[in-house]
Amino acid sequence: MRAIRRFSVRPVLPEPLTGLGTLVNNLRWAWHPETQDVFEAVDPQLWRTTGGDPVKLLGEVPAARLDELANDQAFLRRLELAVSDLNAYVTGERWFQADAGTPVSSVAYFSPEFGITHVLPQYSGGLGILAGDHLKAASDLGVPLIGVGLLYRHGYFGQSLNREGWQQERYPLVDPDGLPISLLRDGDAPATVTVTLPGGRELHAQIFIAQVGRVPLLMLDSDMEENEPAEREVTDRLYGGTTEHRLLQELLLGVGGVRAVRTYCRITSHPAPEAFHTNEGHAGFLGVERIRELAESGHDFDTALEVARGGTVFTTHTPVPAGIDRFPVELIQQHFSPDVFGDGVPIDRILELGAEDFEGGDPAVFNMAIMGLRLAQRANGVSKLHGVVSRGMFSGLWPSFDSSDVPITSITNGVHAPTWVAREISQLTYANADQGDSEGMFEGLDKTTDAQLWETKRILRQRFIDDTRARVRASWINRGASEAELGWVDSILDPDVLTVGFARRVPSYKRLTLMLRDPARLKALLLHPQRPIQIVIAGKAHPADEGGKKLIQEMVRFADDPEVRHRIVFVPDYDIALAQPMYPGCDVWLNNPLRPYEACGTSGMKAALNGALNLSIRDGWWDEWYDDEFGWAIPSAEGIEDTDRRDDLEAHALYDLIEKQVAPRFYDGEVPGRWIEMLRHTIKELGPKVLATRMVRDYVQRLYVPAAQSSRQLNSTYDGARELADWKKKVRSAWSAVRVDHVELQGLGDVPQLGTTVGIRAFVTLGELTPADIDVEALHGRVDTNDEITDAVRESLSLAETYEGNRHRFEGELKLDRTGPFGYTVRVVPKHPMLASPAELGLAAGPSDPEDPNTPDLPVGSEF
Ligand SMILES: *Cc1c(COP(=O)(O)O)cnc(C)c1O
């Protein structure tokens, strides 16, 4: 019989144990081992069988045991200490208050997924894990963030395999009553938000709060009785369903999310955010909603756009154009038409925001990334290399600029050490584990001997192997094997063998099966008589990705072979619970993406913090921080068009590296000195760079604070915003008359010499604009064979004289500070104190004949 409705009955804790409820309801326990110890002490057996889920634990622990604990003075003291430690963590002054000086009231951080703990399965992969780590690090630093996401009733799928090694998906129901989250209430009733849909339908959502240390995460849930059945299903699962379904999710996240933030701030008297951050384009409608709010209070579209833009930060995560979210224009038209979304925001203006109105664009689609860039005054990619790739990828939006001028910066991702570092490692390495990232965090490592480190790694390898064996056994039973046939599983993997980890989602660019290019060669590495390796692999393919499922099947079939199955294992259901013991249990973390498609990658960072060495293609973060003390770079055969040949070359380079460098170094003696030296370097030198606290500080200082300042200035009276909007309009309409008429150099001499300073004069015509509206820039640097200036240095020239007809002479100096081919040019760009980049309007005017900066239409030296 199927129940018509289900709910969980929460236990009533005896009065002395109410502190347990307090501890469970703040997810800080997810990264605080001492709090987990308290849960474990409640019932060690249950703690294990519930897989470390404190809500389940308290739901299942016998009442008699609770009564016993309520009278156990030692336990009560421990509980009290844990609660007061949590209180101190939540209320104390941290980096943001002490060092940064509280420069932002608060920041709203939107993401379609959040990976915070294994008990809250609301993520699919790196994007969600990153968002979770962002919240946790913000909490550790005291940054006043409000997270905004959806509560998916079926989360992302759980993965298993069938007999043939084909991926099976299951979507277990997530029951909010069984999760460490609570419903936001407005008085007696649940707080709700509503988004109007076409055809007079309404989409309601209630708001659950997951308290992530100091940071509240608002999760919108449409599974409410007030909704029609179709609307109830909007938040059913992550990344599933039709295009329209996805649009409804994004509407709820962006539009509903802003409304949820307003509701939360009103109910809890929380300061309103001064900056809004959209983690990838999915939440981009938040900007449209903020424009609507402003329009409702009487502002015209352009003023509202400036205010919203000034306070918005957009982070792009994909270097793959196919990975960008796009919707048919008609769908947007339907959902944002005036009778649905209100008549303050003209639909044409909304459509313009996501229009691909550049070369190669498709007029029938609405592009969420393009809208993200137009609605956010500040944007970034997630590693240095990804910054370069993103500037190239979106350069069509700034056709008058070189891609190096495209206003997309980069902040390299990081990982939350307290979540990901094994306790044994942090005890050996951290000087002060609680602060998360104080100066000299890893100093403790200096007091640890090589033998201690090596022994610790062996313990961690063994733990990971135990976990893996249990998973492999369960997987085989699920695949139809009987217990009796599975004796061999107890001896798979060996705690003294070099352990290589490979775990990630399975999109084609990550090349799960690259290691299978030459199966005989791989087999030889696995079965080497003196220096064998063992490989543990995990990863989910998107349910609609048949190609990815084929790759998994290929991998599984190889690993099923009795000859190698003790040395290579595919473990199903990669998630946080699998990942946590995996990183510390590995000696080498392998990553072989097709460069440059890995925007950043974070798993290698987590492995590094646990003393694993990276073996990777130089892509994403590894391109930036690779050092031969931290691991090995697999050479990338990027120039080669033939992908088969490229895979062959890169795979063989990988085999060679393992055989000739990695394995010999690992097996060099009882305690391999050189290996451990690299391990120490990795933790001490690379460790501080890859921390999420470093990342969040970068976001605060480089993006949130400037965005909050813009937002404050534009918001204070709205005069600033209106003035900026009017100014942009004026500049755009006057721009066609702006030009550089003529440029000349003075004092160059016959043979230009290093160290010479030459004068540069530029004569410009400004039409309707004044010199205050513009900047005249000299760009100079090395030129390549096409006369393109590379690594251009920009210098502003100063106004020297004004002539009739709104013509002006600007002057400055160029220093010839390098030998070889040198080139220069001059351009005019708009200038305004509220612009974040000179490229913001996409307008630049250069000499009318770019081939010859000296003589466009006037003879050299002529006067106006
Ligand atoms: C870290 C992590 C990821 C992301 O790893 P990438 O290297 O960015 O691909 C995905 N899933 C889980 C469970 C993780 O812990």
Side-chain angles (χ1 to χ4, degrees):
M1 271 284 257
R2 216 184 135 91
I4 53 166
R5 200 172 153 229
R6 57 177 288 164
F7 51 90
S8 304
V9 183
R10 291 226 184 178
V12 178
L13 293 166
E15 212 283 321
L17 299 182
T18 49
L20 281 173
T22 310
L23 293 181
V24 173
N25 288 328
N26 192 315
L27 292 168
R28 189 211 187 202
W29 60 258
W31 68 94
H32 196 246
E34 289 78 4
T35 307
Q36 293 168 17
D37 289 349
V38 174
F39 296 145
E40 185 180 14
V42 169
D43 189 330
Q45 171 78 24
L46 258 182
W47 180 244
R48 241 188 333 275
T49 53
T50 60
D53 180 338
V55 178
K56 274 207 194 113
L57 172 87
L58 293 188
E60 290 176 24
V61 67
R65 174 63 184 152
L66 289 179
D67 288 339
E68 195 182 331
L69 287 171
N71 293 301
D72 177 341
Q73 291 310 314
F75 180 80
L76 293 179
R77 254 195 315 278
R78 229 171 129 187
L79 178 59
E80 195 186 311
L81 271 180
V83 171
S84 65
D85 181 75
L86 174 63
N87 282 337
Y89 172 83
V90 169
T91 55
E93 203 171 73
R94 303 185 80 84
W95 169 81
F96 186 79
Q97 291 74 28
D99 297 357
T102 317
V104 192
S105 64
S106 76
V107 178
Y109 177 90
F110 288 60
S111 174
E113 47 173 313
F114 285 92
I116 292 162
T117 133
H118 64 287
V119 309
L120 206 55
Q122 301 288 318
Y123 60 92
S124 80
L127 184 73
I129 302 282
L130 176 81
D133 283 6
H134 196 100
L135 299 193
K136 293 171 186 173
S139 171
D140 288 346
L141 294 171
V143 179
L145 216 68
I146 302 174
V148 184
L150 302 179
L151 180 73
Y152 303 97
R153 285 304 183 100
H154 293 271
Y156 196 56
F157 73 93
Q159 179 196 50
S160 57
L161 299 172
N162 71 9
R163 188 93 212 174
E164 286 70 48
W166 193 256
Q167 170 176 297
Q168 309 288 300
E169 295 112 26
R170 56 174 195 279
Y171 289 89
L173 183 71
V174 171
D175 176 5
D177 288 332
L179 298 178
I181 59 178
S182 56
L183 196 58
L184 178 66
R185 294 190 166 273
D186 193 358
D188 290 335
T192 57
V193 295
T194 301
V195 177
T196 306
L197 302 180
R201 292 178 298 147
E202 288 197 320
L203 169 59
H204 307 286
Q206 51 193 353
I207 304 163
F208 281 95
I209 299 187
Q211 192 62 40
V212 186
R214 303 165 69 114
V215 172
L217 166 59
L218 316 184
M219 307 175 96
L220 279 70
D221 171 26
S222 72
D223 190 6
M224 302 174 65
E225 282 166 15
E226 288 82 343
N227 275 328
E228 295 297 319
E231 278 69 63
R232 283 185 79 152
E233 293 191 349
V234 166
T235 53
D236 58 352
R237 42 177 85 162
L238 176 58
Y239 304 142
T242 60
T243 304
E244 179 164 8
H245 187 75
R246 215 174 41 181
L247 176 65
L248 291 181
Q249 289 190 336
E250 297 188 12
L251 263 176
L252 185 60
L253 177 61
V255 176
V258 172
R259 294 177 188 173
V261 168
R262 301 301 183 212
T263 304
Y264 176 82
C265 290
R266 174 175 56 75
I267 294 173
T268 62
S269 304
H270 192 285
E274 288 180 307
F276 287 76
H277 183 181
T278 164
N279 187 39
E280 195 42 281
H282 311 286
F285 292 128
L286 73 87
V288 179
E289 168 61 5
R290 292 177 58 229
I291 292 174
R292 193 201 58 77
E293 290 179 333
L294 291 155
E296 199 175 73
S297 49
H299 301 286
D300 62 274
F301 181 89
D302 290 297
T303 307
L305 173 64
E306 293 306 336
V307 175
R309 254 175 66 80
T312 303
V313 174
F314 169 55
T315 301
T316 169
H317 286 267
T318 175
V320 195
I324 288 176
D325 231 354
R326 296 152 100 215
F327 292 109
V329 163
E330 308 85 76
L331 262 189
I332 303 295
Q333 250 157 348
Q334 286 162 17
H335 288 81
F336 287 95
S337 70
D339 53 325
V340 177
F341 194 63
D343 47 16
V345 199
I347 180 69
D348 294 352
R349 301 301 306 271
I350 295 178
L351 291 177
E352 268 172 23
L353 292 169
E356 294 190 351
D357 50 3
F358 42 79
E359 213 181 298
D362 180 348
V365 305
F366 185 90
N367 183 313
M368 293 298 281
I370 299 299
M371 178 178 74
L373 291 167
R374 289 187 175 138
L375 276 180
Q377 196 178 23
R378 292 170 181 82
N380 69 296
V382 290
S383 67
K384 282 217 166 81
L385 178 62
H386 182 232
V388 173
V389 172
S390 300
R391 288 190 284 276
M393 182 163 147
F394 293 111
S395 62
L397 284 180
W398 290 271
S400 305
F401 290 82
D402 288 348
S403 52
S404 58
D405 284 331
V406 165
I408 301 175
T409 182
S410 70
I411 290 181
T412 305
N413 288 161
V415 298
H416 185 245
T419 297
W420 296 109
V421 178
R423 199 168 181 177
E424 289 80 356
I425 297 272
S426 49
Q427 280 163 355
L428 286 186
T429 58
Y430 289 7
N432 181 357
D434 182 53
Q435 275 294 318
D437 81 321
S438 53
E439 281 289 311
M441 171 180 176
F442 299 109
E443 304 274 290
L445 198 56
D446 295 339
K447 301 193 204 83
T448 307
T449 65
D450 283 8
Q452 267 176 310
L453 270 174
W454 203 231
E455 181 50 28
T456 304
K457 279 304 284 187
R458 190 179 188 281
I459 291 168
L460 296 169
R461 233 180 269 126
Q462 181 69 59
R463 181 180 307 156
F464 172 48
I465 289 171
D466 292 343
D467 184 63
T468 305
R469 285 176 186 163
R471 288 171 183 272
V472 168
R473 173 178 299 278
S475 171
W476 269 108
I477 286 174
N478 192 54
R479 291 175 74 184
S482 70
E483 280 283 358
E485 311 168 68
L486 294 178
W488 61 272
V489 174
D490 292 333
S491 56
I492 60 169
L493 307 175
D494 179 336
D496 292 309
V497 165
L498 164 55
T499 306
V500 179
F502 184 101
R504 45 190 50 87
R505 291 176 305 109
V506 188
S508 57
Y509 76 85
K510 296 208 186 225
R511 293 193 297 190
L512 169 68
T513 54
L514 188 75
M515 67 178 92
L516 300 181
R517 273 319 271 192
D518 184 346
R521 186 92 194 262
L522 176 62
K523 220 177 244 188
L525 291 171
L526 295 168
L527 302 177
H528 193 285
Q530 288 83 38
R531 296 188 296 274
I533 65 168
Q534 56 194 6
I535 310 181
V536 181
I537 300 149
K540 295 176 178 175
H542 187 278
D545 178 13
E546 295 291 305
K549 292 186 203 177
K550 272 211 185 80
L551 298 181
I552 289 177
Q553 185 176 44
E554 214 182 303
M555 198 75 238
V556 170
R557 288 202 164 142
F558 182 88
D560 280 353
D561 179 354
E563 203 190 339
V564 293
R565 67 188 180 190
H566 61 302
R567 288 277 156 74
I568 183 164
V569 178
F570 181 90
V571 204
D573 209 20
Y574 183 44
D575 67 355
I576 292 177
L578 193 161
Q580 277 176 325
M582 182 170 188
Y583 299 119
C586 289
D587 301 294
V588 167
W589 195 256
L590 173 63
N591 192 16
N592 48 36
L594 204 59
R595 191 178 189 272
Y597 290 127
E598 182 87 307
C600 179
T602 51
S603 54
M605 299 178 174
K606 296 178 238 172
L609 284 175
N610 282 290
L613 306 181
N614 274 270
L615 171 58
S616 173
I617 299 270
R618 287 188 64 161
D619 199 3
W621 74 276
W622 187 237
D623 184 63
E624 195 166 323
W625 289 325
Y626 161 75
D627 182 304
D628 63 8
E629 290 294 330
F630 306 155
W632 297 268
I634 306 166
S636 166
E638 239 169 306
I640 292 175
E641 294 290 327
D642 177 350
T643 50
D644 254 354
R645 209 172 115 60
R646 178 168 171 185
D647 284 358
D648 267 338
L649 286 168
E650 295 184 11
H652 281 97
L654 168 64
Y655 300 136
D656 282 346
L657 272 171
I658 293 177
E659 183 186 327
K660 303 203 171 92
Q661 300 195 36
V662 182
R665 197 165 288 175
F666 181 88
Y667 289 107
D668 184 15
E670 262 319 85
V671 177
R674 181 71 184 104
W675 187 280
I676 292 172
E677 200 183 321
M678 286 175 75
L679 188 160
R680 287 180 189 278
H681 272 287
T682 297
I683 293 178
K684 269 192 83 170
E685 317 295 330
L686 181 56
K689 295 184 170 61
V690 302
L691 296 177
T693 36
R694 186 273 310 147
M695 164 181 76
V696 170
R697 267 183 277 135
D698 282 353
Y699 273 103
V700 169
Q701 289 163 338
R702 295 179 43 208
L703 297 174
Y704 296 163
V705 170
Q709 279 163 349
S710 292
S711 154
R712 214 171 295 156
Q713 276 167 348
L714 292 167
N715 242 318
S716 50
T717 59
Y718 297 107
D719 289 350
R722 191 165 314 119
E723 192 266 329
L724 178 61
D726 290 346
W727 177 81
K728 282 190 179 175
K729 214 176 282 170
K730 173 185 82 175
V731 170
R732 285 205 173 96
S733 70
W735 198 255
S736 61
V738 174
R739 59 173 193 266
V740 176
D741 291 309
H742 170 60
V743 179
E744 59 190 37
L745 288 192
Q746 295 172 317
L748 192 57
D750 292 341
V751 187
Q753 281 188 334
L754 185 69
T756 311
T757 299
V758 295
I760 180 164
R761 301 161 55 141
F763 297 87
V764 303
T765 301
L766 297 181
E768 307 275 295
L769 302 181
T770 72
D773 293 322
I774 54 100
D775 199 14
V776 179
E777 295 181 329
L779 292 95
H780 59 94
R782 195 181 296 283
V783 285
D784 64 16
T785 45
N786 298 321
D787 281 350
E788 284 293 327
I789 303 174
T790 56
D791 303 327
V793 176
R794 286 203 308 244
E795 260 161 287
S796 293
L797 306 184
S798 341
L799 180 64
E801 198 173 350
T802 292
Y803 309 93
E804 256 175 54
N806 202 11
R807 294 171 161 190
H808 311 268
R809 189 178 82 242
F810 283 78
E811 291 186 351
E813 285 179 343
L814 299 186
K815 198 161 162 61
L816 306 184
D817 53 5
R818 52 174 126 185
T819 53
F822 180 92
Y824 68 96
T825 187
V826 169
R827 73 178 176 197
V828 184
V829 289
K831 181 175 76 180
H832 190 281
M834 294 306 296
L835 295 187
S837 147
E840 196 167 317
L841 276 73
L843 299 173
S848 48
D849 178 1
E851 292 293 308
D852 178 3
N854 267 320
T855 46
D857 32 34
L858 290 168
V860 176
S862 79
E863 286 292 309
F864 285 112

